[in-house]
Amino acid sequence: MSQTPWTRKTLSMFLALVFLAPTLVQASEDSLYDFLWLDPDKKVYVLQNKVYKKKGTGYVNAGYVMSQTPDFFDSTGWHLSTGWYFHEEWAIEGYFNTYSNKTNTTYENLKNVNGAIPFSRQFNKTYGLMAVWSPFYGKINTFNKIFYFDWSIGAGVAKIDAESNSTTAAIPSAADTYKKESYTGAILKTGLRFHATKRMHLDLNLHRTIYQAPGPVLNGVGPDKWWGNTDVVFSVGFSF
């Protein structure tokens, strides 16, 4: 599915933030520092002061989802997730997204001007389990305050509850009908976590759900294709 200029702008800003983040982070708590005036075989290790330890902690997040992929619908919803860090850099996370869909101006214009009903697939729910890797952390000094953050990436398995008009979109004489569908796919994510306090944090995540499903069905034929759905997730969380 094509992306609107607003979508491309949003993703570009988010990716720019993500890729600039490493300039502000330390990749590990134990950093190696080489003094040029020492003997070549002598090295000094510098222990960074990591304020927010993660190993042995859990967290719960709740927030808002904005789907960036649908061309003909405005899709927003709610997000819940919970996870546990069994290692300082590794966690297991489960998540649940629910969506509300409403036809947008593009859909209405296409329908009113051309009398055409476009093919579309709407997500109703997605949920799954993923492994999360958080190798980078850092801090930003702004407005005379220091804000600490973590940058993570994750991957896992997703279950998708959706509906589409694949069986009627290619038949002009047929009434537009949406049928419920269910798929299993993959979930990829990257995100920044800003620590407000020891227990409270703010998250900004980008989710990419990848799955295989048919497009418009014509004469009973609708081969499966690979599709992707992108969500921006804003959430507030608590660690314990």
Side-chain angles (χ1 to χ4, degrees):
M1 298 182 185
S2 61
Q3 295 180 338
T4 63
W6 184 91
T7 299
R8 290 193 295 268
K9 183 178 180 181
T10 301
L11 294 178
S12 297
M13 293 175 64
F14 181 81
L15 292 174
L17 176 63
V18 169
F19 286 111
L20 286 175
T23 63
L24 302 171
V25 302
Q26 292 87 23
S28 173
E29 189 172 2
D30 294 318
S31 297
L32 177 64
Y33 190 90
D34 290 322
F35 288 96
L36 298 179
W37 46 268
L38 289 176
D39 292 339
D41 60 338
K42 292 184 179 180
K43 298 176 181 179
V44 176
Y45 286 88
V46 180
L47 180 64
Q48 303 292 338
N49 182 23
K50 190 171 185 180
V51 176
Y52 297 98
K53 301 284 188 178
K54 296 189 289 293
K55 183 178 180 180
T57 65
Y59 58 88
V60 176
N61 298 328
Y64 183 69
V65 180
M66 292 193 306
S67 186
Q68 306 295 296
T69 302
D71 292 320
F72 306 108
F73 288 84
D74 293 329
S75 183
T76 58
W78 301 102
H79 166 84
L80 291 173
S81 60
T82 183
W84 178 262
Y85 275 97
F86 59 88
H87 183 275
E88 187 60 31
E89 296 180 356
W90 288 94
I92 294 293
E93 178 178 301
Y95 78 98
F96 175 84
N97 293 337
T98 182
Y99 303 83
S100 176
N101 302 286
K102 182 180 179 181
T103 56
N104 59 20
T105 303
T106 303
Y107 177 94
E108 296 299 333
N109 289 341
L110 186 63
K111 180 180 178 181
N112 294 333
V113 175
N114 298 327
I117 301 297
F119 164 72
S120 62
R121 176 172 286 111
Q122 308 170 21
F123 279 13
N124 295 324
K125 299 175 185 176
T126 60
Y127 48 95
L129 190 67
M130 69 180 88
V132 178
W133 182 40
S134 305
F136 306 112
Y137 67 92
K139 56 188 176 182
I140 301 174
N141 188 348
T142 182
F143 301 113
N144 293 323
K145 291 185 179 294
I146 296 177
F147 297 93
Y148 296 86
F149 66 90
D150 293 289
W151 176 25
S152 65
I153 57 177
V157 179
K159 186 70 176 178
I160 304 160
D161 292 341
E163 57 185 56
S164 80
N165 60 349
S166 62
T167 59
T168 59
I171 307 174
S173 60
D176 190 35
T177 303
Y178 281 80
K179 294 185 177 180
K180 294 187 179 300
E181 304 170 338
S182 181
Y183 304 102
T184 299
I187 174 72
L188 305 174
K189 85 157 190 173
T190 184
L192 295 175
R193 171 167 295 177
F194 295 91
H195 298 276
T197 67
K198 285 282 188 180
R199 298 296 181 187
M200 181 180 176
H201 53 261
L202 304 175
D203 280 12
L204 172 61
N205 286 282
L206 187 69
H207 284 191
R208 181 67 173 174
T209 306
I210 303 170
Y211 62 101
Q212 195 173 32
V217 176
L218 183 61
N219 296 326
V221 179
D224 284 352
K225 301 179 181 179
W226 286 102
W227 305 85
N229 188 78
T230 301
D231 295 327
V232 176
V233 183
F234 303 91
S235 60
V236 178
F238 296 91
S239 300
F240 52 88

